[in-house]
Amino acid sequence: MTRQLKLCAAIGLTAILTATPLLAGKPLSEPIKPIPATVDVDPKKVSLGRMLFHDVRLSKGETVSCASCHDLTHGGVDGVQVSTGIDGKQGHINSPTVYNTGFLFRLFWDGRAESLEDQVDGPIQNPIEMGSLWPDVVAKLYEDTKYPKMFNDAFGGGINRQNIKLALAEFQRSLITPNSRFDQYLLGDANAITAQEKTGYENFKKYGCISCHQGAAVGGNMFQLFGVANSYFQNRGNITKADMGRFNVTGNVLDKHTFKVPSLRLAALTAPYLHDGNAPTLRAAVDIMFKFQLGREAPDEDKDAIVAFIKTLAGEHPEMKK
Amino acid sequence: MNKIISIVLLVGAVAVGAGVLNTHDRLSQTSGQAKGNLFSVSEDIHNLRQLDGEWSLSVLRSLVTDSDFDEVAGFLPRLRELRADLGTAADAEDNIPDNLKNRLFRFLSLIESKEETVEQFKTNFAVMRNSRKFLPVATRSLLASAAQLDAPKATEDGKKAVESTVGKGLANKIRDIGDRVSSFTQRPDEGAKVRVLTLLSEFEETVLQYPPELSNALNNYISHSRIIMERTIHLNGILKRVLGTEVAEAGTELSTQFKNFSASLVSEVESGTANLNKQLLMMILGLAAIAIVSGIMYAISAFSVDKKIKASVAKATEGLEKEMENNASKAGSGTDMGSVSAMASTIAEEIGNPVGKLSESLDAIRSSAERFGTLKTEVDKLMHTKSADTFEMMSNLKNIGEVLENVSGDATLNDVPEALDEMQNNIMHVQAFTGELRNLSNSEPKEKAWFNVNDTVNAAVEEMQSKVGDGVTIKAKTATVPEVFGSSEEMQHTVVSMIHNAVDAIRAAGQAKGQIMISTKKHNDRAIISVVDNGQGMDDETRSHVFEPFFSTKERGNSKVSGLGLSVAQRMVVQNDGKIVIKSIPGKGTNFSIVLPLKSNQEAAQA
């Protein structure tokens, strides 16, 4: 025991010594980690990816781009319950943000994509999202005057689905939102958040939200059953295929209604909430979580404090300010 | 010595001329050699287009005969293989311009897209076909079942049963739906689809009233009808893509562009060939001139030897220095063994070097030129191929591909313009040199007449004004001089030579403000034309050699330098009974004076 204490002390001392003296205080060791200030990406691939992200030629009929549903100036989402794809078709699920996706362990609500690269196949080929065939996209991009050269510069090769995916993924990896008030707090600035927000964070831990929403993305590192305490879906009714969650991927009955825990990082900007977009406000989402995940109630002021805390998680990215 | 030089020159000239003619011949010869990527690309494009065409036909055939898509699917491995081959070949071929390559990859993508579309079609079609096969059978059985509903049933009380119309109603309904579904498949549109689907939903709600077996059969019937409704529109969309003209158009466009690419290469090649022919013609003429001049040189040399003996005799006679100078001038060349040696080395350099370079240039362009010729022949063949004869056309394209590969494979294509420029420079050098040789050797007196030296000077100044270049100004200062009897043409040439010499002297001195003053004056019974420069000047040693042919203080290699200019000038002045007097101060400048006698009419008549 003494030995362990010594070890802890040593680690703590090292942490203090390595802390940059510019900071007001020492960094906190919390289950939530700050988002790094920079991320190592290839600028050529990123700028190519940015162009592709905004290019409607990725969709059949050339009406929607990635940015149509993932508006970078609006938290990387479209702010509606379900998105509208080609030919005005309505999607089946709420569009998650594209910010901080580099921190997620899987992509899509059901986690069917293991990497950002794999994820690209989904919206491009989904008949109600972009409805494209890959070779069609490639053919269209070959007609462009700039793309062939940009692809060659970035990859030393031609336009193909693999390179398109790589560029889009690299661009998304560049979409990080560091320097949130909560991260400043984590890094040692005790005054970066208010007393209520601090209380909110304590509540967040006390009630157990932290057991699923944790890490740099405050979520996105595990699957969880939606409706642990009470059946959300029976309560809501009209169960769709999308509601089956991870079951659609594995076919395992134990995976029914299991979803990737969403990141709360930009929750302040990405209403409505949940995979079905059923919670119009952050407070409504918190209520649902209490009822169906925690199976308990809490005083309004506790919930309000949690909402106030969640709002401190949103950091900055140049694209958000445009 | 002179004989040997001349003979060697003559033989050399003839040999080079023959070589040139030989090269020229070889230009139009063909040589089919190694295979290349361009060939493979052009062939693959053609094959892929053809395969796509056959494949589309196969899709149509499957649709018309309502057979399954196995035959259509059978195309896929070949299509994929060809696509991959073409992609690899195009990737490896750096000589295809980027934009053409991009069109090519676009075309490949469109084919790939069509492959995926066809696969989608195949799956959907199989489902729909299954339903369509099922429906007539189901309809017959349903109608039979419906008829049974109306069959009179024996009742317990023995009364005659009330005639039922339930079955009839159901049968009508089934027929109605069947008609609507089949007419929809003939002419599918969204409106009809919605109407029929609504009808099916309404019908679905009524089926429970029938006995369980019938109700199940009806539900089955309805679901198959739905499948047909849902898939027909989807299939129509797919079919539009499969049988659409997009791929064919892209293929045609690609072939056209590839053809244009080849054509542009061909026209480049043709103009290159024409240019080459011109250059070769020039070279042949130049070499012919060399041959002629070499012959003349042989004569002169023989003459010079004779003169050399005379000069030696004269030299042996002491105190006759001035006389010797006159004799030498009249003889047209002050030759001694030293100047013969200078002549030999000069000729070797002035003709030998350019000819050597010409030969190098020829080597550099020969391989390309041969391929140009081949390509032209192959393209001519292609142009004359009937468009229907695809096989022959392909074989021609293949040949063109091979030649293109060779042309673009080595770097000589790019070297040709440079080589031609080099040749032209060398030929011009030889021409300039042989021109001067001709002047030197041309002993035929020009026609003489009365002329004004001021006119001659002005003409020479005008001729040279634009040629002297920056940093050198020419001024003419003429006085009233009586007319001179002689060749004004030769005198103009002489003045021009002296201006050239003055410019060279100014350049050699690095003089930034070069001035050349040309003046005329009458002095006693002489007319004097003075060309004064502020160039480098010359010492006495140099001055004593300036009229020797091939004597030059300037470095060899400069195309203007031959060492013949002043020799020719002096010969011309002597022909006109005059002389050239040189005064020079090293580092300050030089004054060349042409002194011509003012003759009486009588003297002129005798001349």
Side-chain angles (χ1 to χ4, degrees), chain B residues 45-94:
Chain B
I45 292 175
H46 176 84
N47 289 348
L48 199 49
R49 286 182 63 199
Q50 211 158 34
L51 192 59
D52 175 60
E54 288 169 22
W55 186 45
S56 298
L57 278 178
S58 156
V59 171
L60 261 183
R61 200 158 45 232
S62 294
L63 284 173
V64 170
T65 59
D66 202 21
S67 62
D68 50 35
F69 270 63
D70 288 350
E71 183 197 315
V72 174
F75 278 85
L76 292 176
R78 280 164 68 202
L79 281 164
R80 283 177 188 144
E81 195 187 338
L82 253 182
R83 258 198 305 114
D85 286 355
L86 187 49
T88 315
D91 246 344
E93 181 49 73
D94 291 338

Side-chain angles (χ1 to χ4, degrees), chain B residues 99-143:
Chain B
N99 59 347
L100 187 52
K101 244 185 211 185
N102 293 340
R103 302 309 285 181
L104 179 63
F105 288 129
R106 174 179 175 269
F107 175 64
L108 294 182
S109 263
L110 287 174
I111 300 236
E112 188 187 351
S113 165
K114 189 166 152 180
E115 287 166 20
E116 287 192 15
T117 315
V118 166
E119 291 210 77
Q120 275 187 14
F121 186 86
K122 192 190 171 201
T123 318
N124 284 281
F125 189 71
V127 173
M128 191 183 78
R129 204 155 146 264
N130 186 31
S131 297
R132 278 171 65 179
K133 276 184 181 164
F134 171 83
L135 275 191
V137 182
T139 305
R140 272 196 299 278
S141 126
L142 283 174
L143 289 177

